[in-house]
Every structure is written in structure tokens, then in C-alpha cells.
Amino acid sequence: MRKRDATAVELMDLPDCDARRLDNTYRQFGVVNRVLGGWRRLYRRELRPLLAVQPVRVLDIGSGGGDLAVMLARWARRDGLSLSITGIDPDPRAASFAQKRPPVQGVEFRQAHSADEVVAGRTYDVVISNHVLHHLPAEELRTLLAHSEVLAGTKVLHNDLRRSPAAFTLFGMAALPFRGSYIRVDGLTSIRRSYTPAELSALAPPGWTVERSAAFHQVLTYRQG
């Protein structure tokens, strides 16, 4: 835990991983992200104040199975607010799973990379990601941040794991009920691959700040202006 294990590979990222276990992983992410990800707090603190003023367009980079986009859209609708959210993921398996979800008003999914959005000249009010940063080596992380600055008109929220021995131990116990998926084994690998606040701060260019999120999470944040 003292050093980031940048060479560790998550099983679900392997092209020949078990398709059934992969689908189960996408399904179970909904529970994991709702309970552990800290997005309810981020929605209240960062998104709802914007939504109270005007409709907001959100880009969810690396949206995986799509659970976060759907969750945010439902919270906004429950509050009587207007939010549209586009989830993109370069992995065709993730994009396909998300596109097969029951339709939710204001939510769409596409197979795409953040670079594709930049080239297409698309812009959004807010750019977010969840558990993406730890997948990226330093240069790819900086590229993502550069793309995010171009794509976001107001703010960027990259929510990710914060590496610590306590996070590793507690998640290992908490994830025991998740069977038939890659949640537990890949979750532990993700923690080993994740950055500490100091490591993330050192990599981020000027204008970016690392803020505490939920337990064992951190948000790399950028605010325009």
C-alpha cells in the first residue's frame, strides 16, 4: 500500500474475461456506487445548486454499465430539476451493456473516448467520472484532464478511490456478498492501483484540486473561471 501498483490488471479489463461475470459486475456496480461512491453527497453539493438555476448537461466519462448516469438523472427528476447526461465508454462491452438498459429520460450512452468528444467540438456544463483515474498511467491521466478542461463549461468532478491499508481491508470484507462477478477481486486490485491525495496532487496541473469525498474516496476537481 505504500507504493501504487501500476502494473496490476483488473480481470474485467481483459478482452477474454467471462462474459457472464462481466455482466454481473456491471449490474452489481449499481449497489457499490450507490452505497460507497459518495455520489449522493456530490450531487447535493456540486450538481443540485447548478440545476436549481438552469438545465445542466453532464458528460460521464468511462460510464461503464451506466448506473451512475441513471442514478443522477433519477435524483434530478425526483427534485423536479432538468438534467441531461451522456455516458461514454471506449469499451464496446460496457457501452453495449449501458445501451441495453431500460430508457431513462435525459440519459444516453455512446461508445466513445473523451478525445472523440473534443474532436467533435462537443461541450457540456459538467464533466464527471467515477473510478476511472486509477486505471490511467500519468500521461493518460494528464490527457484526460486536458480533455476535461476543454469539454466542461463549469466544473469537472473526477471521483476515485483513495489508496490505504484500511480501504483494502474493509472493502475486502464488505465485498464478500458479491458473488459471480469481478467486484471483489477487481475492487481490491483497484485500491492497489489507486492514487493517494499527494500522488494525485503532484500529477494534476495548475487549477486542479484534490478534495475528500466519501470514505476512502477523493475528487479531483476543476472549476472554470
Side-chain angles (χ1 to χ4, degrees):
M1 288 299 127
R2 291 183 179 179
K3 184 177 180 181
R4 177 175 181 256
D5 190 351
T7 63
V9 177
E10 295 182 30
L11 298 180
M12 67 178 292
D13 290 337
L14 298 175
D16 60 348
C17 74
D18 183 86
R20 181 185 59 82
R21 291 174 69 88
L22 181 62
D23 277 1
N24 285 341
T25 302
Y26 290 139
R27 292 188 187 95
Q28 293 173 9
F29 271 148
V31 177
V32 174
N33 289 329
R34 186 168 61 250
V35 175
L36 301 177
W39 277 101
R40 184 62 178 171
R41 181 185 304 172
L42 286 172
Y43 167 76
R44 289 172 174 164
R45 186 182 74 197
E46 302 287 352
L47 295 179
R48 192 161 63 183
L50 296 178
L51 290 165
V53 176
Q54 63 184 33
V56 172
R57 295 164 300 128
V58 175
L59 176 66
D60 180 9
I61 296 177
S63 52
D67 60 278
L68 175 58
V70 169
M71 186 164 61
L72 292 173
R74 286 175 174 166
W75 287 341
R77 188 169 68 242
R78 195 176 303 157
D79 290 338
L81 302 171
S82 179
L83 179 149
S84 62
I85 182 164
T86 300
I88 61 169
D89 200 297
D91 189 326
R93 302 168 302 176
S96 176
F97 184 94
Q99 289 166 347
K100 291 175 183 175
R101 283 180 168 274
V104 174
Q105 184 177 356
V107 179
E108 69 166 333
F109 297 103
R110 289 187 280 106
Q111 181 186 345
H113 189 277
S114 59
D116 300 321
E117 301 297 292
V118 173
V119 170
R122 299 187 180 97
T123 58
Y124 302 82
D125 298 301
V126 179
V127 170
I128 66 172
S129 75
N130 187 61
H131 296 170
V132 170
L133 299 185
H134 68 266
H135 287 271
L136 307 177
E139 285 308 309
E140 290 184 21
L141 191 151
R142 292 191 183 100
T143 298
L144 172 63
L145 301 188
H147 291 168
S148 300
E149 289 186 32
V150 172
L151 293 166
T154 302
K155 67 176 68 174
V156 183
L157 306 168
H158 289 308
N159 188 49
D160 201 26
L161 301 164
R162 176 163 44 90
R163 189 177 78 250
S164 73
F168 189 88
T169 300
L170 292 174
F171 182 81
M173 294 187 292
L176 285 172
F178 293 95
R179 305 294 178 88
S181 74
Y182 295 113
I183 290 289
R184 186 173 187 272
V185 62
D186 279 359
L188 293 173
T189 300
S190 294
I191 293 169
R192 288 163 44 214
R193 291 180 65 174
S194 63
Y195 296 92
T196 64
E199 290 168 346
L200 204 51
S201 294
L203 284 173
W208 289 84
T209 58
V210 178
E211 303 172 5
R212 287 293 182 101
S213 180
F216 310 120
H217 280 72
Q218 56 195 344
V219 186
L220 185 57
T221 303
Y222 182 86
R223 292 179 171 84
Q224 295 285 9

